[in-house]
Amino acid sequence: MRGWFTGRLPEGLFTALVEVTVDREEITVIGRIPEPELAEEVSTDEREAALDGRIAEFRERTREDRVAVAREAERRFGRKVSWGVECGGVRALYTNVSVPVMTRLRQPERRVLDTLVAGGVARSRSDALAWCVRLVQRNTDTWLTDLRDSLEHVERVRSQGPDTPAE
């Protein structure tokens, strides 16, 4: 998919295609955009405001092009397309898919979620569960990366198996 997006994105849309992430429901495309030119002595607040402004400007200016590419990709790959940018070390995601996930939890697990709600960390059990997933994601990034790499290797081996149509 990264190759398809690399070839399909309008010339000059991004200075670089940073990442194309795919799961069962969504494709997230993140590209780098140029930073605004600022004097070296600007404050941190002014720099952050300039980056936010550049990201917002890019989003509005490129909306039609991004929607056209997304529609084509959604037909081709059967997944929704979400967009994001990196600018000056800031990553911003535009619309992205929020997918409900069903799970069964026993009382000790529910108590963890209820404690997060009671402590004001989350508004609901659903928010608390999402918070827990983000915490695990941040603290186990290396492990998850290794696991994803292993899964990609398994998929490559499966694709070479006897059930694969001959070319």
Side-chain angles (χ1 to χ4, degrees):
M1 281 190 206
R2 182 180 178 92
W4 185 86
F5 278 99
T6 299
R8 178 57 185 87
L9 291 174
E11 189 71 34
L13 182 69
F14 299 126
T15 59
L17 182 59
V18 175
E19 185 177 301
V20 176
T21 307
V22 180
D23 68 12
R24 288 183 278 184
E25 292 85 18
E26 178 180 28
I27 303 165
T28 303
V29 179
I30 299 175
R32 187 168 295 117
I33 61 174
E35 295 180 45
E37 292 184 26
L38 301 170
E40 288 184 34
E41 65 274 357
V42 300
S43 69
T44 301
D45 289 342
E46 186 176 346
R47 182 179 187 285
E48 288 174 3
L51 292 173
D52 288 346
R54 174 60 52 91
I55 290 167
E57 183 277 333
F58 175 85
R59 182 180 188 188
E60 293 305 317
R61 178 173 44 84
T62 63
R63 184 180 311 273
E64 284 185 35
D65 286 338
R66 289 183 296 105
V67 166
V69 172
R71 283 188 181 133
E72 190 175 331
E74 288 168 5
R75 282 191 302 273
R76 181 180 181 109
F77 300 115
R79 295 173 174 94
K80 289 292 182 188
V81 176
S82 299
W83 299 92
V85 296
E86 283 187 2
C87 182
V90 173
R91 181 176 277 203
L93 290 176
Y94 301 149
T95 55
N96 55 339
V97 178
S98 178
V99 178
V101 178
M102 294 295 295
T103 187
R104 295 184 184 277
L105 301 175
R106 301 203 184 280
Q107 187 180 38
E109 297 152 339
R110 293 190 311 266
R111 288 181 66 208
V112 169
L113 301 180
D114 292 342
T115 300
L116 293 171
V117 172
V121 172
R123 293 183 313 249
S124 65
R125 282 181 172 175
S126 178
D127 286 345
L129 188 56
W131 184 89
C132 290
V133 169
R134 288 191 303 273
L135 181 65
V136 169
Q137 177 185 22
R138 182 174 59 220
N139 290 318
T140 61
D141 200 35
T142 301
W143 180 80
L144 290 174
T145 298
D146 291 346
L147 183 58
R148 286 185 189 109
D149 290 345
S150 294
L151 291 171
E152 288 176 13
H153 178 72
V154 168
E155 287 302 316
R156 280 194 303 274
V157 171
R158 279 187 187 148
S159 71
Q160 299 168 3
D163 295 334
T164 305
E167 294 190 26

